[in-house]
């Protein structure tokens, strides 16, 4: 497996462009299953990401014509017969479970392997199944698969989610577009990716109201058609580069970053003394040495994103004084703390709260990307550590960042990816 090496001490400066949202494009590709006529064309796709390659391969295994090239995917789901999403692909990426709702709506049957992905905590699919059962689906779970049937037809219903699960909201919303009658999702997730999916589905002919609020109404239609659509920018990638500018006390314009998607991060960075200039084209970030410690708590959107928690901890480590960081979304998302400690960080974890004693020098060493966002955080820490930091476990990072090394290098970072023999993360290996 490859490794990344980072030489610390460089102040980042320049412009970096944000790619399309990974967390948005995956359910959009799944939703294309619902189109019974015309092709679906999705633009601004981060096509080199492993997760995008996997879900495209998943559609192909269902018998759907799906072609990924450059920054675009073209999908023709007009005629296909298979309804099983096999373990070999689903186990590699949790978002694969979003094909469950579309398959049930389109084919009245789905057999989907229980999902995989980053090991950041317990992420059951009970809310997905609860919502789909309310619409009339029936499920059996055995031998590592969830198998669903629709005995007659899906019918609209009121669905209350015990937690505002993004994946469950997406699955239920997609299935409900072809259900008979109206569906209301109560306590729905409010993320920008939910809004993006709703706009995408509406461009296919769906009737949806309230996306972006805790109450979403879907009015079933008889048929959906293909569409052409452009994915929103990736707010987590944008946030990562904003934090990178702050941690190196640099000056970076994050092109494509949407401030309305990053309000909680913007507020916290300003509390710390980071200077931000928002515009329609992106966000300009600059920082000096006199940053202040702060308290952060992750929450469902519009709260602070759990996907920026590890990166924020890296920034807190660089600021003199004590900071607090509380993780409320996933119970096992402090695995990166041990890696930070290997670099000389002082972090004390009690339950779901970390006390960060910032301002202590970090030392370059070999660390592991324990999950996707932790991998990005290791790079951020390496940017300010003395000496060389070596990051392994790049299969996690490859799931979520396009040309990460190249982008950091364009900002002046002394970073490189060292290819090793037997590297398995490639498009050809997933074909």
């Amino acid at each position: 497996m490859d490794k990344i090496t980072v030489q610390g001490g460089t102040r980042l400066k320049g412009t970096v462009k944000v790619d399309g949202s990974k967390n948005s494009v995956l359910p959009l590709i799944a939703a294309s299953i619902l189109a019974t006529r015309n092709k679906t064309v999705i633009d601004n796709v981060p096509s080199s990401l492993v997760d995008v390659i996997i879900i495209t391969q998943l559609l192909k295994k269902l018998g759907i014509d799906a072609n990924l090239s450059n920054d675009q995917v073209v999908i023709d789901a007009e005629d296909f017969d298979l309804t099983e999403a096999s373990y070999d692909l689903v186990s590699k990426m949790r978002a694969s479970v979003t094909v469950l709702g579309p398959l049930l709506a389109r084919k009245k049957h789905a057999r989907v392997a229980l999902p995989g992905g980053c090991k950041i905590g317990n992420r059951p699919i009970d809310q997905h199944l609860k919502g789909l059962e309310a619409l009339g689906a029936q499920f059996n779970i055995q031998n590592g698969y969830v198998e669903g049937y629709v005995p007659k037809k899906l019918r609209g219903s009121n669905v209350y989610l015990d937690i505002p699960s993004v994946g469950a909201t997406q699955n239920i919303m997609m299935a409900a577009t072809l259900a008979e009658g109206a569906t209301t999702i109560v306590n729905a997730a409010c993320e920008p990716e939910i809004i993006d999916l709703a706009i995408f589905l509406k461009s296919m002919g769906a009737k949806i109201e309230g996306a972006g609020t805790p109450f979403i109404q879907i009015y079933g239609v008889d048929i959906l058609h293909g569409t052409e659509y452009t994915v929103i920018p990736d707010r987590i990638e944008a946030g990562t580069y904003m934090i990178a500018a702050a941690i190196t006390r640099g000056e970076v314009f994050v092109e494509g970053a949407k401030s309305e998607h990053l309000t909680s991060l913007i507020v916290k960075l300003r509390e710390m003394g980071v200077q931000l200039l928002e515009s329609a084209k992106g966000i300009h970030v600059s920082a000096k040495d006199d940053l202040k410690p702060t308290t952060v708590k992750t929450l469902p959107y519009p709260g602070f994103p759990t996907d920026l928690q590890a990166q924020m901890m890296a920034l807190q480590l660089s600021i003199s004084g004590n900071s607090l960081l509380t993780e409320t979304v996933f119970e096992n998302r402090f695995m990166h703390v041990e890696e930070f400690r290997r670099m000389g960080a002082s972090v004390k974890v009690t339950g779901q709260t970390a006390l960060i004693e910032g301002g202590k020098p970090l030392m370059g060493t070999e660390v592991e990307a324990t999950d996707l966002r932790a991998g990005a955080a290791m790079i951020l820490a390496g940017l300010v550590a003395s000496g060389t930091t070596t990051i392994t476990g790049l299969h996690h990072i490859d799931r979520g960042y396009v040309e990460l090394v190249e982008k950091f290098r364009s900002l002046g970072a002394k970073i490189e990816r060292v290819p090793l023999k037997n590297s398995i993360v490639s498009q050809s290996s997933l074909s």
Side-chain angles (χ1 to χ4, degrees):
M1 185 63 66
D2 295 1
K3 61 183 180 181
I4 288 175
T5 61
V6 184
Q7 184 74 32
T10 301
R11 180 174 181 262
L12 298 187
K13 188 173 183 179
T15 297
V16 62
K17 186 176 181 180
V18 178
D19 277 274
S21 169
K22 174 187 83 83
N23 288 341
S24 191
V25 75
L26 299 178
L28 298 192
I29 292 174
S32 68
I33 293 172
L34 297 164
T36 54
R37 65 185 185 201
N38 301 336
K39 293 181 179 180
T40 295
V41 180
I42 306 175
D43 294 309
N44 197 32
V45 175
S47 55
S48 64
L49 295 186
V50 171
D51 280 12
V52 176
I53 295 170
I54 289 173
I55 200 164
T56 304
Q57 293 294 331
L58 194 159
L59 262 61
K60 287 182 177 180
K61 285 201 170 185
L62 293 174
I64 295 170
D65 187 12
N67 295 299
L68 183 64
S69 62
N70 298 323
D71 296 328
Q72 184 183 81
V73 60
V74 180
I75 302 161
D76 185 350
E78 185 172 337
D79 184 27
F80 71 97
D81 296 316
L82 301 179
T83 56
E84 179 173 321
S86 59
Y87 174 80
D88 62 328
L89 292 177
V90 178
S91 63
K92 299 173 184 176
M93 183 188 64
R94 180 173 179 78
S96 301
V97 78
T98 53
V99 303
L100 185 60
L103 285 174
L104 289 172
R106 180 78 188 275
K107 294 295 185 179
K108 297 186 177 182
H109 175 262
R111 188 170 187 264
V112 179
L114 294 174
C118 289
K119 308 302 182 184
I120 57 177
N122 189 30
R123 296 191 287 174
I125 62 169
D126 60 308
Q127 297 300 300
H128 300 243
L129 304 187
K130 171 185 175 179
L132 294 170
E133 284 175 340
L135 301 181
Q138 298 177 2
F139 293 99
N140 290 314
I141 299 178
Q142 57 183 1
N143 302 323
Y145 280 79
V146 54
E147 188 163 13
Y149 302 88
V150 180
K152 295 182 180 179
K153 63 174 63 176
L154 293 177
R155 297 184 183 277
S157 180
N158 292 330
V159 179
Y160 175 79
L161 296 179
D162 296 315
I163 57 173
S165 163
V166 173
T169 301
Q170 292 167 336
N171 243 331
I172 298 161
M173 186 161 59
M174 288 186 283
T177 59
L178 294 179
E180 185 178 275
T183 297
T184 299
I185 306 175
V186 181
N187 198 28
C190 302
E191 275 74 359
E193 294 80 13
I194 298 294
I195 299 173
D196 206 34
L197 176 59
I199 296 172
F200 177 76
L201 290 169
K202 288 165 74 172
S203 73
M204 297 173 70
K207 297 180 179 179
I208 302 172
E209 297 176 359
T213 78
F215 301 91
I216 301 178
Q217 295 83 38
I218 307 102
Y219 305 94
V221 298
D222 293 330
I223 191 172
L224 294 178
H225 54 75
T227 187
E228 185 163 353
Y229 193 78
T230 300
V231 182
I232 59 173
D234 194 309
R235 63 190 172 99
I236 304 303
E237 183 192 15
T240 299
Y241 289 115
M242 290 167 66
I243 295 172
I247 197 172
T248 63
R249 310 306 190 258
E251 186 174 353
V252 175
F253 180 67
V254 185
E255 182 181 345
K258 289 185 172 293
S259 56
E260 62 268 31
H261 294 171
L262 293 157
T263 303
S264 59
L265 174 62
I266 289 170
V267 168
K268 284 299 171 183
L269 289 178
R270 284 189 169 136
E271 282 183 11
M272 301 166 103
V274 179
Q275 300 298 310
L276 299 114
L277 180 61
E278 305 166 45
S279 71
K281 293 184 178 180
I283 302 175
H284 183 271
V285 185
S286 61
K288 297 182 179 179
D289 288 330
D290 57 346
L291 298 187
K292 297 174 289 188
T294 190
T295 296
V296 176
K297 177 185 288 187
T298 66
L299 290 165
Y301 191 87
F304 193 90
T306 181
D307 279 353
L308 288 175
Q309 179 253 101
Q311 300 93 308
M312 177 56 78
M313 185 180 290
L315 176 57
Q316 290 173 314
L317 285 169
S318 75
I319 301 171
S320 296
N322 291 342
S323 294
L324 289 175
L325 200 158
T326 301
E327 171 63 50
T328 72
V329 179
F330 293 117
E331 75 279 4
N332 195 28
R333 206 163 197 179
F334 279 152
M335 290 189 293
H336 49 275
V337 168
E338 283 301 319
E339 304 305 306
F340 282 144
R341 286 173 178 159
R342 288 175 53 80
M343 301 178 73
S346 178
V347 183
K348 299 176 182 178
V349 177
T350 304
Q352 293 300 102
T353 297
L355 171 64
I356 298 104
E357 297 179 21
K360 298 185 177 181
L362 297 180
M363 300 170 292
T365 187
E366 183 168 324
V367 292
E368 180 184 3
T370 54
D371 63 65
L372 166 57
R373 307 306 174 183
M378 294 301 111
I379 292 174
L380 298 186
L383 290 172
V384 294
S386 62
T388 301
T389 301
T390 301
I391 300 102
T392 59
L394 303 193
H395 59 288
H396 290 300
I397 297 175
D398 290 335
R399 292 183 47 238
Y401 291 94
V402 175
E403 297 181 346
L404 179 142
V405 169
E406 293 79 3
K407 289 184 179 182
F408 271 120
R409 190 181 292 140
S410 74
L411 297 174
K414 296 177 181 178
I415 180 173
E416 63 177 313
R417 181 164 180 150
V418 182
L420 301 177
K421 293 181 180 180
N422 302 319
S423 178
I424 62 171
V425 181
S426 67
Q427 182 162 354
S428 61
S429 70
L430 292 164
S431 300

